[in-house]
Amino acid sequence: SFVLTQTPSVSVAPGKTARITCGGDNIGGESVHWYQQKPGQAPVLVVYDVSDRPSGIPERFSGSNSGNTATLTINRVEAGDEADYYCQMWDSFTDRPVFGGGTKLTVL
Amino acid sequence: QLQLQESGPGLVKPSETLSLTCTVSGDSISRTNYYWAWIRQPPGKGLEWIATIYYSGSTFYNPSLKSRVTMSVDTSKNQFSLKLSFVTAADTAIYYCARLRDGYNLFDYWGQGTLVTVSS
């Protein structure tokens, strides 16, 4: 089955840009979604179809996808962005969803 | 506003069956183009998809759990359910129900999650 690989942790200072990556074989041609999960809460969709945002998600959140890597970019990081972030795509070969292992974003 | 709420025992004994129900409010579970799913998260770990069901009853299971999982839907109650048999400590996790948006293949609404501990 398809495997999505995420760096376990990323640290960034407030006001800077955080980039969280999701690696997978030729993932660049796939539709990738990103979820934010704060401690004790359910995941929340923050970016879908690579770069679209659901209603209510700040424009600071954006996404891109090329080659073997999808990237979630958070501009002007705030303390409230500290959370775990998961990428997800649909494995059309096995016809099921696949999640990355998650990245813990720490705001210094 | 769509809401999902998990319910069920928080403690299950090893070798027994875990049973959870998700109650959907704010929209019909029979709405086309949406599926309903269970996803779990062991303490301190990542997300694992368990199973998905359509309102018609069509089911899709994670192969790694398929032999122990049964998912069902009750459209009259706007609920869907999960049964996981022969549980072990490895099944201890927060269990989330969620809505899967067909076509986009993403989970757009989640329940708050319920912790199920497997212990004697």
Side-chain angles (χ1 to χ4, degrees):
Chain A
S1 62
F2 204 89
V3 176
L4 296 176
T5 302
Q6 295 185 242
T7 303
S9 64
V10 169
S11 299
V12 63
K16 300 299 186 182
T17 298
R19 293 181 179 84
I20 298 170
T21 60
C22 176
D25 191 25
N26 289 320
I27 195 176
E30 304 293 335
S31 182
V32 177
H33 318 301
W34 292 91
Y35 302 85
Q36 175 194 67
Q37 185 180 34
K38 295 183 179 180
Q41 297 183 22
V44 172
L45 183 69
V46 292
V47 167
Y48 68 97
D49 267 0
V50 179
S51 58
D52 291 330
R53 286 183 310 279
S55 171
I57 301 301
E59 292 183 5
R60 300 185 297 104
F61 289 81
S62 63
S64 61
N65 193 7
S66 179
N68 295 319
T69 304
T71 303
L72 172 69
T73 300
I74 309 172
N75 293 315
R76 302 180 300 283
V77 166
E78 302 173 357
D81 298 331
E82 189 162 282
D84 294 326
Y85 291 84
Y86 294 89
C87 59
Q88 179 251 316
M89 61 165 280
W90 191 265
D91 183 346
S92 56
F93 184 74
T94 58
D95 204 21
R96 56 185 165 120
V98 178
F99 289 98
T103 297
K104 180 177 180 59
L105 175 67
T106 299
V107 181
L108 301 171
Chain B
Q1 175 77 352
L2 183 74
Q3 291 187 321
L4 295 86
Q5 179 67 58
E6 305 89 351
S7 60
L11 181 64
V12 181
K13 290 182 169 55
S15 80
E16 295 190 346
T17 296
L18 176 162
S19 297
L20 295 173
T21 295
C22 182
T23 301
V24 179
S25 59
D27 201 358
S28 171
I29 202 171
S30 302
R31 189 173 176 185
T32 55
N33 300 320
Y34 290 97
Y35 289 72
W36 305 92
W38 288 98
I39 295 160
R40 71 180 182 178
Q41 184 173 37
K45 296 189 178 180
L47 302 167
E48 178 183 32
W49 170 72
I50 302 171
T52 298
I53 194 166
Y54 198 54
Y55 76 92
S56 62
S58 298
T59 52
F60 308 86
Y61 297 136
N62 186 324
S64 69
L65 299 168
K66 186 174 183 177
S67 64
R68 300 193 291 130
V69 172
T70 302
M71 200 171 168
S72 60
V73 62
D74 186 336
T75 55
S76 66
K77 295 182 178 179
N78 231 35
Q79 294 177 335
F80 60 99
S81 298
L82 172 74
K83 290 189 186 297
L84 180 65
S85 61
F86 302 107
V87 297
T88 69
D91 294 310
T92 294
I94 298 173
Y95 285 76
Y96 296 99
C97 59
R99 189 177 79 168
L100 176 67
R101 188 174 176 185
D102 191 24
Y104 290 88
N105 294 322
L106 56 81
F107 300 98
D108 57 357
Y109 284 92
W110 298 63
Q112 65 184 24
T114 187
L115 175 63
V116 179
T117 301
V118 178
S119 176
S120 55

